[in-house]
Amino acid sequence: MAKMNPFEGLEISNDWQALFNINERQPCRKCSKSRKYFCYTCYTLNDDVENKIPMLELPFKIDIIKHSREIAGKSTAIHAALLAPNDVTIYIYPDMPRYTEDDKVILVYPGKSAVTLQDFYSSSKKQEDSKEYNKQKTSSKFITHALFIDSTWNQSNGILKDPIIRGLPCIKLQIRLSQFWRHQKGSPRWFLATIEAIHQLLVEFTETDVETNGPPKNYDNMLFFFRFMYEKIHQLYEHDQLKSYRRPMNV
């Protein structure tokens, strides 16, 4: 039976297949540690990868807060920093981003008060149309920064108590099955890897009434490294033998 392709229909550059031809490790240009493809601590690409990957420009800034105990080499957050280096910043907690009053920041996290992006957009539009809001408005964007937490669910509890995060509008994403190959005990299949969540947010953003001056941009290349690594893992292991894909939706 042919293996189902979970990326079918996505416009991901076929150059990810060229990464299979890279066999040698290289020293990172910053820390000199031996790395394959990229350095996951310096967020730099190896020379033999640099000209093979797509570079993305995002409609807003993405800030990722990593827990200090999260293993860097296992995190997909690094993919975002490599593919959109001008728009993605990774912070190691307790280091945190600093925002101004003019920034419009959302926290992407399935908290109790979370609303969908579409509902948040509709609410923002009502505020924008109000007379009082228009007096203070400095930007037509309803999002300038999207904040993600890259950690286990238990580790995220402490980060969520930080005063910079408390009070931010919380956004929940539409449910989709994760294709991540690492199993986080107790989590259901719809708990996405960080790079999957970033891609999902960008997909939902293009479905709002934002930036109507032209056709919506395609952000599927945010899954460029994820697509490659998914295929690499599935060459080494049988799909049905990986715990991540045997989890029911609510477990």
Side-chain angles (χ1 to χ4, degrees):
M1 181 181 294
K3 184 176 67 177
M4 181 186 68
N5 177 12
F7 304 97
E8 187 173 0
L10 299 183
E11 298 178 24
I12 301 174
S13 168
N14 286 330
D15 285 345
W16 65 267
Q17 298 179 63
L19 301 184
F20 282 110
N21 299 323
I22 297 174
N23 299 311
E24 300 296 326
R25 300 172 72 89
Q26 293 182 349
C28 168
R29 66 189 72 183
K30 286 188 176 180
C31 69
S32 299
K33 292 181 179 178
S34 177
R35 303 296 193 207
K36 195 170 184 182
Y37 312 119
F38 54 79
C39 181
Y40 45 79
T41 53
C42 299
Y43 319 135
T44 57
L45 295 162
N46 285 2
D47 290 338
D48 51 5
V49 174
E50 196 165 26
N51 295 325
K52 294 180 173 64
I53 73 163
M55 302 301 288
L56 283 74
E57 292 184 9
L58 305 184
F60 42 77
K61 301 297 183 182
I62 289 179
D63 297 321
I64 302 169
I65 302 172
K66 282 175 54 65
H67 194 278
S68 58
R69 292 204 301 269
E70 187 72 4
I71 299 174
K74 294 184 177 181
S75 171
T76 63
I78 285 85
H79 301 179
L82 295 169
L83 293 162
N86 295 326
D87 295 315
V88 176
T89 306
I90 296 178
Y91 299 84
I92 308 299
Y93 188 77
D95 187 22
M96 297 284 285
R98 294 290 185 264
Y99 300 117
T100 70
E101 292 183 358
D102 294 333
D103 290 328
K104 299 171 185 176
V105 188
I106 61 170
L107 170 65
V108 183
Y109 190 86
K112 292 181 179 179
S113 63
V115 299
T116 66
L117 185 68
Q118 184 62 54
D119 286 345
F120 177 70
Y121 173 62
S122 298
S123 174
S124 298
K125 282 294 289 180
K126 288 179 182 178
Q127 283 186 313
E128 186 177 340
D129 293 338
S130 72
K131 189 179 226 180
E132 180 180 354
Y133 180 81
N134 279 327
K135 287 180 181 178
Q136 303 175 2
K137 186 172 66 173
T138 57
S139 171
S140 61
K141 291 185 175 183
F142 80 104
I143 300 173
T144 62
H145 295 74
L147 182 63
F148 290 82
I149 297 175
D150 185 52
S151 71
T152 65
W153 294 104
N154 289 334
Q155 291 168 346
S156 68
N157 292 329
I159 298 176
L160 289 168
K161 296 176 183 177
D162 192 281
I164 292 177
I165 292 181
R166 284 202 311 256
L168 289 178
C170 197
I171 301 299
K172 59 183 177 182
L173 301 172
Q174 298 171 16
I175 289 180
R176 85 186 212 193
L177 290 182
S178 173
Q179 301 303 326
F180 195 34
W181 46 90
R182 288 197 173 96
H183 175 235
Q184 188 177 131
K185 188 176 180 180
S187 65
R189 276 288 308 274
W190 48 270
F191 277 17
L192 302 177
T194 300
I195 196 65
E196 290 179 296
I198 292 172
H199 173 254
Q200 180 64 29
L201 177 69
L202 291 167
V203 169
E204 294 182 27
F205 178 82
T206 63
E207 294 172 351
T208 66
D209 293 331
V210 182
E211 298 180 337
T212 55
N213 294 332
K217 293 181 180 178
N218 170 51
Y219 298 108
D220 290 346
N221 273 328
M222 189 59 75
L223 297 176
F224 179 84
F225 283 114
F226 189 86
R227 173 74 179 90
F228 163 67
M229 292 183 177
Y230 173 93
E231 193 65 32
K232 191 175 179 67
I233 288 292
H234 283 76
Q235 287 185 4
L236 299 173
Y237 305 98
E238 288 293 330
H239 180 92
D240 293 338
Q241 298 305 310
L242 292 167
K243 289 183 179 179
S244 292
Y245 306 109
R246 300 205 306 271
R247 291 175 292 166
M249 279 287 290
N250 60 347
V251 173

